């Protein structure tokens, strides 16, 4: 059963080495993410599953200790998805969203429970996302989720998707849903609109909604902002 969840954004700019001189601009987001991971540790889960967006439809699974890096962003910085499991690092390479999660877990000194990674792509339907979440929640008696994903990328004219007047209301809807653990609102997110607004978090958030069914969790919104014209949200469910 799901006992706790943390929702964090996944821009590589969260990693100070990647952000370089602009690093202080996301200090508040980093602090909120650290607080959210602290809640996950306090929940004492038997299993932590990290759910993140990726290009493949998925779901694609990644073992604890899978390596990743930020070399694609011009930075020689390597990470793993949690501490390497006994026997050495797992095979494969983390996509950027899970590499950011690996950095957050490293920064938090995570050693509280086994970790698994799972990516879900934009084409995955809401129904499938919800089923994936339900299956995750049944994996152990006490399951925690770290859910990675960004809101719209169309909040300003300098945003990656330029300015779209629908972006701010969409992000506000998501913020309300995450801040109140509103499962119905997350399940009903418009996948077509999310695609048009370049939202990477829609599928991971709907996995969370499926995992939380029957769990009676309450939500808290820790951070909401749109630096660089992209919506970043941090929330906790417990």
């Amino acid at each position: 059963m799901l006992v706790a969840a943390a929702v964090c954004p996944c821009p590589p700019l969260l990693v100070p080495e990647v952000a370089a001189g602009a690093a202080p601009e996301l200090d508040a987001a980093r602090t909120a993410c650290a607080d959210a991971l602290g809640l996950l540790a306090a929940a004492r889960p038997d299993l932590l599953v990290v759910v993140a967006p990726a290009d493949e439809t998925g779901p694609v699974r990644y073992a604890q200790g899978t390596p990743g890096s930020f070399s694609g962003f011009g930075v020689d910085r390597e990470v793993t998805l949690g501490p390497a499991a006994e026997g050495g690092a797992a095979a494969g390479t983390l996509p950027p969203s899970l590499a950011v999660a690996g950095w957050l877990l490293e920064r938090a000194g995570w050693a509280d429970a086994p970790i698994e990674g799972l990516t879900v792509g934009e084409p995955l339907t809401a129904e499938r996302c919800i089923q994936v979440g339900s299956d995750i929640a049944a994996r152990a008696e006490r399951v925690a989720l770290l859910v990675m994903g960004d809101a719209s990328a169309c909040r300003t004219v300098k945003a990656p998707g330029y300015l779209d007047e629908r972006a701010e209301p969409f992000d506000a809807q998501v913020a309300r849903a995450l801040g109140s653990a509103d499962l119905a609102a997350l399940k009903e997110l418009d996948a077509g609109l999310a695609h048009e607004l370049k939202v990477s978090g829609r599928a991971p958030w709907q996995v969370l909604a499926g995992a939380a069914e029957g769990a009676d969790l309450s939500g808290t919104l820790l951070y909401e902002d749109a630096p660089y014209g992209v919506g970043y949200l941090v929330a906790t469910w417990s």
Side-chain angles (χ1 to χ4, degrees):
M1 175 178 285
L2 186 70
V3 295
V7 178
C8 295
C10 58
L13 287 172
L14 271 182
V15 180
E17 294 96 322
V18 176
E25 296 174 13
L26 288 180
D27 278 348
R30 294 184 191 99
T31 298
C33 289
D35 291 344
L37 265 67
L39 178 139
L40 293 186
R44 299 185 179 278
D46 301 318
L47 173 68
L48 173 65
V49 179
V50 184
V51 182
D55 293 336
E56 302 90 348
T57 300
V60 178
R61 300 185 182 277
Y62 294 83
Q64 178 170 330
T66 301
S69 79
F70 297 99
S71 60
F73 302 92
V75 175
D76 186 18
R77 177 67 159 87
E78 297 183 352
V79 295
T80 59
L81 187 65
E86 187 174 343
T93 303
L94 297 175
S97 58
L98 280 180
V100 173
W103 177 81
L104 288 173
L105 291 164
E106 176 188 287
R107 187 169 181 252
W110 184 273
D112 298 271
I115 299 170
E116 291 185 9
L118 183 144
T119 57
V120 286
E122 185 182 58
L124 209 64
T125 65
E127 293 77 11
R128 180 67 178 123
C129 290
I130 291 163
Q131 183 58 57
V132 168
S134 179
D135 292 344
I136 289 172
R139 293 280 311 282
E141 185 174 344
R142 298 180 63 81
V143 176
L145 285 184
L146 173 54
V147 183
M148 309 296 292
D150 301 338
S152 69
C154 302
R155 292 283 292 272
T156 67
V157 294
K158 293 185 178 181
Y162 197 66
L163 175 65
D164 190 315
E165 298 296 341
R166 301 171 297 173
E168 189 169 353
F170 181 93
D171 289 357
Q173 175 190 3
V174 173
R176 285 192 297 270
L178 292 175
S180 60
D182 187 337
L183 307 190
L186 290 177
K187 291 176 182 179
E188 293 168 3
L189 289 176
D190 187 328
L193 178 58
H195 170 73
E196 292 175 10
L197 296 177
K198 302 185 182 300
V199 175
S200 70
R202 191 273 307 172
W205 299 331
Q206 290 182 325
V207 171
L208 168 61
E213 286 184 331
D216 192 24
L217 302 178
S218 60
T220 302
L221 188 66
L222 302 182
Y223 177 86
E224 177 186 9
D225 202 356
Y228 317 116
V230 181
Y232 297 149
L233 302 165
V234 181
T236 58
W237 289 17
S238 62

